[in-house]
Amino acid sequence: MATGNNEIASSAVCARCHQANVSVTVRNEHLCQDCFTKYVVTKVTKRLESNKLRAAFNEAPRLFLLPLSLGSSSVALLHILHQQLEHQENRTGRRSFRLHLLFVDQSAAAQQPAFAQVWRSLKEHFPSHSSSIVELEDVFNYDSDSVLNLSPLYAESASDSHSPNRDYLENFLSGLPSATSRADMIGIIRTQLVDAFAKKTCCDSILYGDSTTRLAERTLSETAKGRGGAVPWLTGDGQSPRGIKIVYPMRDLLRKEITAYTAMTTPPLTPFLLENTIGKKPSASSKNITIEDLMGQYFESVEQNYPSIVANVVRTSGRLVAPSLGSQDDAVCHICRLPLTVGAEGLRWNGEQEGSASTTCSNGSRDMPKLCFGCARSTLNP
């Protein structure tokens, strides 16, 4: 684990270079600032190389989408990739890939800190990369098959409103049965929006900044919500159900290691970090605490003293094989677009088991869409 432990004597020598004084402890190894920086960068570089993301010398640079939450992990990933590109250009006169930065404004769905100034500062510091800001309700503009358009429960939109998409989104979320359900649907809609944006802008891959800690949280929270069979899709590198490659270059680094890195860069990355309150600060009311909140609290505690446990969760999930997508639409859940469990009968949106009498939904189609167990729990009232 990374720590500024005061128990380390100021005269202690780095375990790798055996020259500089120790600045940080990484999983019981005492490192100086330079060696720690190399440790972080090497982890990311190896992950990129294992996914063969760099274009050959005679190929045009590939375009990668980098979604930014303005948290420490995504901003640290941007910094590392930016340095790699500058080094490539200085050494070879070309860049093997280009980055497009994307920020999703979720203010229509949840409380969110003001981000305009932080985003402006980030763009000024990294001016060579193109960027966009999209709002969560823009999923309508990018994804015609969005979960919101499929929903027979909230089919009426506010056509007289100046912002019908926003009103439609708010109506959809307000009708969900719990805080966990709302957080779950926000995450699914955000992922659909990012995937659709990547395809529309012809990006080759999406690079997410999720740390080992974040992926461990997702593994257990998605299992608890009923999507254990889809964990390989949700935490692993590879093709998404929408046909675009997903890579997690920071997956071998703990959150606290990345946080330490952001404070050690020159200049520090802390001015470009947004204090993200979405799903992070547990509510005093138990009914407003989500599964993601609970998992976040658990792994925040575990990674302090038992980082190997966090890493083992991610390594174990990485050994799981992603199920194959069927050729028919019924092979996937109509909300999360992930494969339905093989052998499961499936659920209709009205809660009926597959095989029951057909039901007509509001758009005139014969059958209600089928859902996986996780999405059924999130959208159907108990």
Side-chain angles (χ1 to χ4, degrees):
M1 62 180 177
T3 177
N5 198 332
N6 293 328
E7 296 178 0
I8 301 173
S10 59
S11 59
V13 177
C14 174
R16 295 195 177 185
C17 69
H18 303 291
Q19 295 178 353
N21 291 337
V22 171
S23 297
V24 65
T25 299
V26 180
R27 309 186 197 195
N28 298 322
E29 187 178 21
H30 303 323
L31 301 180
C32 66
Q33 183 168 328
D34 288 344
C35 289
F36 173 67
T37 299
K38 291 177 184 177
Y39 164 84
V40 172
V41 173
T42 299
K43 289 284 189 182
V44 175
T45 303
K46 286 184 177 180
R47 181 59 58 177
L48 293 173
E49 290 175 348
S50 67
N51 282 279
K52 301 178 180 180
L53 292 180
R54 294 181 180 179
F57 189 79
N58 59 348
E59 294 178 343
R62 297 176 180 176
L63 177 61
F64 299 148
L65 182 65
L66 177 55
L68 295 172
S69 65
L70 299 181
S72 58
S73 296
S74 59
V75 172
L77 177 58
L78 169 60
H79 180 263
I80 293 170
L81 296 175
H82 177 78
Q83 286 192 320
Q84 287 189 354
L85 289 174
E86 286 194 328
H87 178 70
Q88 283 182 7
E89 192 168 34
N90 292 334
R91 185 167 52 89
T92 66
R94 68 183 297 273
R95 298 187 173 200
S96 61
F97 60 89
R98 296 180 294 121
L99 293 176
H100 187 92
L101 314 181
L102 179 69
F103 180 78
V104 179
D105 178 1
Q106 301 178 177
S107 57
Q111 290 185 349
Q112 177 175 270
F115 63 86
Q117 182 57 49
V118 176
W119 181 256
R120 191 178 305 113
S121 299
L122 183 103
K123 288 180 61 179
E124 291 173 355
H125 191 73
F126 301 100
S128 59
H129 310 297
S130 58
S131 62
S132 300
I133 295 177
V134 294
E135 297 177 332
L136 196 63
E137 59 267 32
D138 289 341
V139 68
F140 292 102
N141 303 327
Y142 288 97
D143 189 353
S144 59
D145 294 326
S146 163
V147 52
L148 300 178
N149 291 334
L150 285 171
S151 172
L153 298 178
Y154 311 101
E156 295 183 1
S157 62
S159 56
D160 296 333
S161 172
H162 294 295
S163 52
N165 288 352
R166 188 183 183 97
D167 291 344
Y168 194 7
L169 174 63
E170 291 174 349
N171 290 339
F172 175 83
L173 294 174
S174 65
L176 297 175
S178 68
T180 292
S181 298
R182 288 188 288 275
D184 189 37
M185 288 296 108
I186 290 171
I188 289 173
I189 295 167
R190 182 177 60 244
T191 299
Q192 290 181 0
L193 174 57
V194 171
D195 283 0
F197 183 92
K199 296 191 75 172
K200 189 169 184 177
T201 52
C202 301
C203 293
D204 291 275
S205 302
I206 303 175
L207 309 182
Y208 282 105
D210 297 48
S211 63
T212 301
T213 314
R214 180 71 187 97
L215 293 174
E217 292 170 5
R218 183 177 301 153
T219 297
L220 295 194
S221 63
E222 292 298 333
T223 301
K225 289 185 289 188
R227 295 197 191 90
V231 164
W233 286 114
L234 299 168
T235 62
D237 296 345
Q239 293 292 115
S240 76
R242 293 183 64 89
I244 189 165
K245 189 169 186 177
I246 306 295
V247 179
Y248 298 96
M250 310 287 277
R251 67 180 298 122
D252 297 322
L253 295 164
L254 295 170
R255 179 181 291 135
K256 66 179 309 178
E257 294 169 351
I258 298 171
T259 301
Y261 175 83
T262 60
M264 291 185 181
T265 58
T266 305
L269 300 176
T270 46
F272 312 123
L273 303 183
L274 184 69
E275 184 184 357
N276 192 350
T277 60
I278 301 175
K280 296 299 180 183
K281 291 184 178 179
S283 170
S285 172
S286 60
K287 73 175 184 178
N288 291 326
I289 296 179
T290 68
I291 290 176
E292 286 81 2
D293 292 334
L294 295 176
M295 292 303 167
Q297 294 175 56
Y298 171 72
F299 280 107
E300 182 180 5
S301 172
V302 169
E303 80 164 357
Q304 297 295 325
N305 300 311
Y306 307 101
S308 60
I309 293 179
V310 184
N312 284 338
V313 171
V314 177
R315 278 197 294 267
T316 301
S317 67
R319 297 189 185 102
L320 302 176
V321 179
S324 300
L325 285 171
S327 58
Q328 298 180 351
D329 290 340
D330 279 347
V332 298
C333 171
H334 278 256
I335 292 184
C336 64
R337 315 280 178 78
L338 296 172
L340 295 169
T341 304
V342 176
E345 290 182 302
L347 293 171
R348 295 298 184 183
W349 207 311
N350 61 354
E352 295 178 357
Q353 288 290 124
E354 171 67 7
S356 60
S358 296
T359 308
T360 301
C361 59
S362 60
N363 61 11
S365 61
R366 182 184 177 192
D367 290 321
M368 305 286 272
K370 280 198 297 188
L371 312 179
C372 68
F373 183 68
C375 290
R377 288 183 63 185
S378 285
T379 57
L380 300 178
N381 289 309

